[in-house]
Amino acid sequence: MTALRERWHSASSAIGRRVDGLPKSARITGLLAFIAFLYVLPNKWFYEYLNIPGLWIPLYTTRNDMAAVLFYCAWIVLLSLGLNVVVGYAGLLDLGFFGFFAVGAYTVALLTSPESKLITEYNWLESPWPWLVTIPIAIALALLSGVLIGAPTLRLRGDYLAIVTLGFAEMIRIIAKNQDWILNGDRGIPQVAHPPGKYPDGTAIFQFEFKPYYWLLLTVIIGAVFLIRNLANSRVGRAWVAIREDEDAAELMGVPTFRFKLWAFAIGAAVGGLSGTLWAGQANFVNSSTFSLENSILVLAAVLLGGAGSIGGAILGGFLVIYIPEWLRSVGDVFGLPETATVFGNDFDVSPTSLRYFIFGILLIVVMIFRPQGLWPNRRRAAELKDRQKEVAVVE
């Protein structure tokens, strides 16, 4: 197993060195071509020709609309980028990231829906606000909530911080579920406004079709990647790396650790709030059922699967945790696999649709065994992990 792991590591390192050896113009051209590919991808006339060469196994989903799957992938990717700032760069374990997502979604719902109690019962607003106007408000409130939660708790470390963030997310969910005063409990808030925009014939661009929302999310992700990358390469990013590697040493060297941890928490919260606004605009309905602990764990799994501290890893992990289970639903159609199996007179559901999360869980375990640093790790993080493995080997 160790030899196989070493072979995998050497092969991936060789690929990385080969890509880095390409001229800058070639890398930029390849990146632009890949972005163009992503924009074209949700069109059926394009993706229906995507197959595994020689096997004719479709790489697209046959049981669900491809544009819908890509939208949910992009949504999780944006959340993964935000959580990667907190977990990957600053090294803070956050289990309640969906709490900030909920703040963004509920802000947009309360301000844009004609069914909001701010309008119908309390008359605090005369009419619904435009969706676009509420975006900076939702981001600011999510950022403020990150500061308010982080200020008294970021002096904690490790498991203690994780428990506090988990409590924050559960507090938001329980209040949203049980409180009928403004958030309307489990009945939620319907008729949330869509983003603006019209086609030349006057019909709205953003209704319930997933394709325009995917393009909008993809554009936002590109902007978020640019901003986060610049932050990571700045003095702030270097401070985050120092805190992650050894917080005590960083503080002794004069790094104001608490301030930079608070920045990471606030920036991650702002990205989480932004993703909530985009999701609410498409869903047209917000209630507490979306903000479960499972979704926070899913985003954390995406960051760790791709590679904590790596922007490319966060994008790859966010894509895979949504796309692979959906694609596995298509496997049964391709191979004609049975839906049920009879054992001792009892029928059991053995369809890939039912077993897809079990299969995906096994794949995750295999990846974590052979690639603990993630599929696309940050080089510094990969080097840290390798050094630790050597230390463990020496001790043993």
Side-chain angles (χ1 to χ4, degrees):
M1 183 178 289
T2 303
L4 183 60
R5 187 186 300 171
E6 287 295 327
R7 248 182 269 131
W8 188 351
H9 177 70
S10 61
S12 60
S13 299
I15 293 172
R17 287 193 298 270
R18 189 170 297 178
V19 172
D20 291 339
L22 293 174
K24 186 176 181 181
S25 58
R27 281 182 284 166
I28 293 175
T29 302
L31 178 61
L32 293 176
F34 179 67
I35 291 173
F37 167 79
L38 293 178
Y39 275 102
V40 176
L41 188 56
N43 296 292
K44 186 175 181 180
W45 54 264
F46 178 78
Y47 70 69
E48 65 182 357
Y49 294 103
L50 297 177
N51 298 278
I52 297 177
L55 299 178
W56 203 250
I57 300 175
L59 293 174
Y60 57 90
T61 57
T62 60
R63 289 287 187 99
N64 207 343
D65 179 32
M66 181 70 169
V69 174
L70 290 174
F71 166 76
Y72 288 116
C73 288
W75 166 50
I76 295 296
V77 164
L78 184 58
L79 283 166
S80 300
L81 286 170
L83 186 60
N84 188 49
V85 172
V86 182
V87 175
Y89 288 129
L92 307 173
L93 183 55
D94 186 353
L95 295 181
F97 195 65
F98 248 70
F100 305 117
F101 171 86
V103 171
Y106 269 115
T107 300
V108 169
L110 287 170
L111 295 178
T112 66
S113 171
E115 297 296 320
S116 169
K117 289 191 174 183
L118 299 183
I119 299 172
T120 59
E121 289 192 18
Y122 304 111
N123 298 318
W124 293 353
L125 299 176
E126 293 183 0
S127 61
W129 290 12
W131 181 86
L132 203 57
V133 174
T134 65
I135 300 302
I137 298 173
I139 293 174
L141 288 177
L143 188 149
L144 179 62
S145 65
V147 172
L148 292 176
I149 295 297
T153 62
L154 283 179
R155 300 191 189 279
L156 301 173
R157 300 184 189 181
D159 298 341
Y160 301 103
L161 178 61
I163 292 170
V164 170
T165 56
L166 175 61
F168 164 70
E170 284 298 286
M171 179 182 69
I172 294 289
R173 184 186 66 81
I174 292 170
I175 290 175
K177 181 177 181 179
N178 298 327
Q179 190 256 61
D180 195 51
W181 177 51
I182 291 180
L183 303 183
N184 214 24
D186 259 348
R187 289 171 294 176
I189 304 173
Q191 298 184 41
V192 179
H194 297 291
K198 292 185 178 181
Y199 290 111
D201 60 1
T203 58
I205 296 175
F206 297 97
Q207 287 294 321
F208 295 100
E209 187 183 359
F210 284 98
K211 200 181 298 182
Y213 288 99
Y214 165 72
W215 286 328
L216 175 62
L217 259 173
L218 183 57
T219 305
V220 171
I221 287 171
I222 293 172
V225 167
F226 177 77
L227 293 175
I228 294 172
R229 182 178 176 81
N230 284 342
L231 267 176
N233 293 329
S234 69
R235 174 173 171 266
V236 176
R238 291 191 292 273
W240 286 340
V241 171
I243 293 169
R244 183 190 71 206
E245 291 184 354
D246 193 327
E247 186 174 341
D248 294 327
E251 194 151 10
L252 287 172
M253 293 299 292
V255 177
T257 56
F258 176 75
R259 185 199 308 167
F260 283 112
K261 287 197 296 183
L262 192 60
W263 282 17
F265 216 69
I267 292 169
V271 176
L274 174 61
S275 64
T277 65
L278 296 169
W279 174 83
Q282 190 283 325
N284 197 232
F285 175 79
V286 175
N287 76 346
S288 62
S289 62
T290 309
F291 315 122
S292 62
L293 173 62
E294 289 82 357
N295 285 323
S296 289
I297 300 300
L298 180 69
V299 179
L300 180 60
V303 173
L304 298 178
L305 173 64
S310 166
I311 292 177
I315 294 172
L316 178 63
F319 173 79
L320 291 178
V321 296
I322 297 296
Y323 193 79
I324 294 298
E326 288 298 327
W327 178 77
L328 286 173
R329 298 175 67 182
S330 309
V331 173
D333 295 336
V334 174
F335 294 103
L337 299 177
E339 296 286 326
T340 60
T342 303
V343 179
F344 299 115
N346 296 314
D347 292 333
F348 295 93
D349 188 349
V350 294
S351 65
T353 299
S354 300
L355 299 178
R356 66 187 188 278
Y357 286 112
F358 172 74
I359 298 170
F360 183 62
I362 294 176
L363 293 176
L364 280 179
I365 294 171
V366 171
V367 169
M368 288 297 101
I369 291 174
F370 290 100
R371 191 77 173 174
Q373 67 270 41
L375 296 173
W376 190 343
N378 176 279
R379 292 181 182 176
R380 184 187 294 269
R381 293 281 293 210
E384 291 172 15
L385 185 60
K386 192 172 183 180
D387 290 341
R388 289 171 188 166
Q389 289 174 341
K390 289 180 180 177
E391 291 173 3
V392 171
V394 169
V395 171
E396 290 177 350

